Amino acid sequence: GAGVSQTPSNKVTEKGKYVELRCDPISGHTALYWYRQSLGQGPEFLIYFQGTGAADDSGLPNDRFFAVRPEGSVSTLKIQRTERGDSAVYLCASSLLGGSTDTQYFGPGTRLTVL
Amino acid sequence: GQQLNQSPQSMFIQEGEDVSMNCTSSSIFNTWLWYKQDPGEGPVLLIALYKAGELTSNGRLTAQFGITRKDSFLNISASIPSDVGIYFCAGQGRGSQGNLIFGKGTKLSVKP
């Protein structure tokens, strides 16, 4: 069956530009997570959606980062005024119900490069 | 915030060798997970541990949830070439809604 998909797979942008990264979760999964993975590091949590609402956005580094999930399925991570330090792989994961015992399935990520 | 220390950072294996890696935390976790990540892919769950002291196997992989709730190890027996990749431990603290805290990873490579 279809797993989590993310588009684009690669995004190169210039400092100061706006970018949108898209995540298509597994069909029927109510929970969706965004993580950021810098080179040589493990993924770091950014935001968690349960349905359409952001249940936990404590990992967003600053107000340049914003994410939406308007219909409880596809999610978009939006980064304004990109900085070189935003360069990383942005991973999306989904799980059936959310919570600590539910398996999270990860997408392949979007590699963002800010020049 | 909560941090995970994962070791070793990297290791070289020869086919057939057993491999061991571990993770420690400065605070208690309620769940320990082990993931493997191949280049260009997202992490894939290998083993999940939910109870202190729990020992769980998945084929050639065995993992344990430490009784202090602050550590976990992963063993791979009789390694094969496709075991190459980066292994991450991850944990969930008390009150977590599912967001994971990851270690920095252990990179497994084949000895030349």
Side-chain angles (χ1 to χ4, degrees), chain A residues 12-35:
Chain A
V12 180
T13 191
E14 293 179 342
K15 181 175 178 296
K17 299 288 189 184
Y18 167 83
V19 296
E20 289 189 352
L21 312 178
R22 176 187 167 110
C23 172
D24 279 84
I26 293 172
S27 177
H29 280 195
T30 63
L32 186 146
Y33 304 81
W34 283 99
Y35 293 83

Side-chain angles (χ1 to χ4, degrees), chain A:
Chain A
V4 177
S5 62
Q6 293 186 244
T7 54
S9 54
N10 280 284
K11 175 71 178 179
V12 180
T13 191
E14 293 179 342
K15 181 175 178 296
K17 299 288 189 184
Y18 167 83
V19 296
E20 289 189 352
L21 312 178
R22 176 187 167 110
C23 172
D24 279 84
I26 293 172
S27 177
H29 280 195
T30 63
L32 186 146
Y33 304 81
W34 283 99
Y35 293 83
R36 177 169 71 174
Q37 186 173 24
S38 300
L39 192 63
Q41 304 292 317
E44 291 179 296
F45 168 74
L46 295 177
I47 187 169
Y48 159 55
F49 286 91
Q50 181 55 253
T52 61
D56 182 355
D57 64 357
S58 61
L60 295 177
N62 53 60
D63 61 6
R64 295 187 297 105
F65 288 75
F66 189 70
V68 296
R69 196 186 184 199
E71 297 177 359
S73 177
V74 170
S75 176
T76 304
L77 178 65
K78 309 180 181 198
I79 311 174
Q80 297 177 319
R81 305 183 304 280
T82 52
E83 300 177 356
R84 292 196 179 89
D86 298 335
S87 296
V89 175
Y90 289 81
L91 294 165
C92 175
S94 71
S95 69
L96 185 60
L97 297 174
S100 59
T101 59
D102 215 16
T103 299
Q104 293 183 30
Y105 297 88
F106 282 81
T110 293
R111 180 176 297 278
L112 175 66
T113 303
V114 182
L115 301 176

